[in-house]
Amino acid sequence: MGKLAGLRGGPLTHAIVRRFVAHYGVDMAEAADPRIENYATFNEFFTRPLREGARPIADAALVCPVDAAISQFGPIEHDQIFQAKGHSYSTTALVGGDEALARRFDHGHFATLYLAPKDYHRIHMPCDGRLVRMVYVPGDLFSVNPLTARHVPGLFARNERVVCVFETAFGPFVNVLVGATVVGSVATVWHGVVNPPRTRGIRSWDYSGQNIVLRQGQEMGRFLLGSTIVMLFPKDVVTFTADWAPTRPVRLGEAMGAVAGATSPL
């Protein structure tokens, strides 16, 4: 599907995009270029940038990094993340088996956000962060829609994913970009396309010796055919906004929460 989405099909590509827009109710008025005929591939359309000012950034310590629906959020129970009724998974499994990294989020908080097909599929920073590491974790490609999340145990720790590790003014922050059925690939602004290639083993990149700082609201990556993100925050740091609730739609740039214990800016 990823290869098909990258094909330059001319009128056929434009017909597919028009059908997709009509079926999912995509608001092309928000796009930097609303003209469907200007997208050479389906991937160009799917990862389209927004027009200037379409998503103002709120005056908040944490802002929502994507257009999505809230799947789940709340406290991490020791090292267990709530997925759906009867299902949870460990932070260690989510980050690819790195117990030392996972322990930094014991009794912390998490937020899982689901990007539907109609959503804007670029991912931005919820706060300022300095990139430390990136890890590619191979896995399955189950669908990540709400129905699947209710029935597939450990879904987000089983699917292919890219783990992005940052240091922030309040401590460590992890954003996990989770792949799904028909997700062609995941890309980051500092690396480009991470997958393919798809490998059987975990791959890791160390950026601790580089000063790669991304500011709040800045793009950090994108899904080429979209999916889910899982964010991890350390203990006693995050208070989510009062109107957050599972299934609630959220938009890039709106207030997500407040933080405690922030130190000097990056």
Side-chain angles (χ1 to χ4, degrees):
M1 287 300 295
K3 290 179 180 178
L4 289 173
L7 290 178
R8 296 176 178 269
L12 176 61
T13 293
H14 300 151
I16 292 171
V17 171
R18 286 192 180 92
R19 186 167 183 177
F20 186 96
V21 168
H23 180 75
Y24 288 106
V26 178
D27 184 2
M28 291 302 293
E30 294 185 332
D33 188 349
R35 296 166 295 181
I36 289 172
E37 63 273 16
N38 286 350
Y39 295 99
T41 68
F42 186 83
N43 266 340
E44 283 186 15
F45 154 74
F46 201 79
T47 60
R48 62 197 177 279
L50 296 175
R51 60 175 170 77
E52 189 71 27
R55 297 291 186 277
I57 303 301
D59 182 13
L62 293 173
V63 298
C64 188
V66 289
D67 284 7
I70 299 170
S71 177
Q72 297 291 340
F73 71 102
I76 298 169
E77 302 294 343
H78 182 52
D79 66 342
Q80 293 294 303
I81 299 172
F82 181 72
Q83 176 179 305
K85 186 177 181 179
H87 298 302
S88 62
Y89 57 95
S90 73
T91 51
T92 301
L94 178 68
V95 301
D98 187 333
E99 294 182 358
L101 175 61
R103 279 197 298 270
R104 301 185 75 187
F105 301 97
D106 281 359
H107 303 289
H109 285 81
F110 78 96
T112 305
L113 305 180
Y114 166 66
L115 287 74
K118 68 177 178 60
D119 288 325
Y120 169 65
H121 274 82
R122 299 191 183 199
I123 306 141
H124 295 246
M125 291 293 291
C127 59
D128 292 353
R130 181 175 62 84
L131 180 67
V132 176
R133 190 151 50 103
M134 179 175 75
V135 182
Y136 166 76
V137 185
D140 298 314
L141 288 173
F142 290 108
S143 170
V144 292
N145 64 39
L147 179 64
T148 311
R150 289 195 296 270
H151 292 93
V152 177
L155 172 63
F156 304 120
R158 292 172 63 178
N159 269 15
E160 179 183 61
R161 55 204 179 276
V162 175
V163 181
C164 304
V165 185
F166 297 90
E167 287 294 336
T168 75
F170 55 78
F173 162 66
V174 162
N175 197 355
V176 182
L177 317 183
V178 183
T181 305
V182 306
V183 173
S185 60
V186 173
T188 65
V189 297
W190 58 84
H191 180 90
V193 174
V194 180
N195 56 316
R198 287 184 161 85
T199 58
R200 293 186 177 183
I202 291 174
R203 290 181 288 149
S204 182
W205 294 262
D206 182 2
Y207 299 100
S208 59
Q210 304 179 44
N211 190 33
I212 302 176
V213 176
L214 281 74
R215 299 299 178 186
Q216 185 182 60
Q218 185 176 344
E219 181 185 344
M220 57 83 65
R222 63 187 69 174
F223 288 114
L224 283 72
L225 296 174
S227 186
T228 287
I229 66 169
V230 182
M231 293 178 284
L232 303 180
F233 302 95
K235 182 180 179 181
D236 296 332
V237 165
V238 175
T239 302
F240 292 104
T241 56
D243 60 351
W244 262 43
T247 75
R248 177 186 182 275
V250 290
R251 301 186 92 190
L252 165 66
E254 69 178 46
M256 182 170 72
V259 301
T263 59
S264 58
L266 294 176

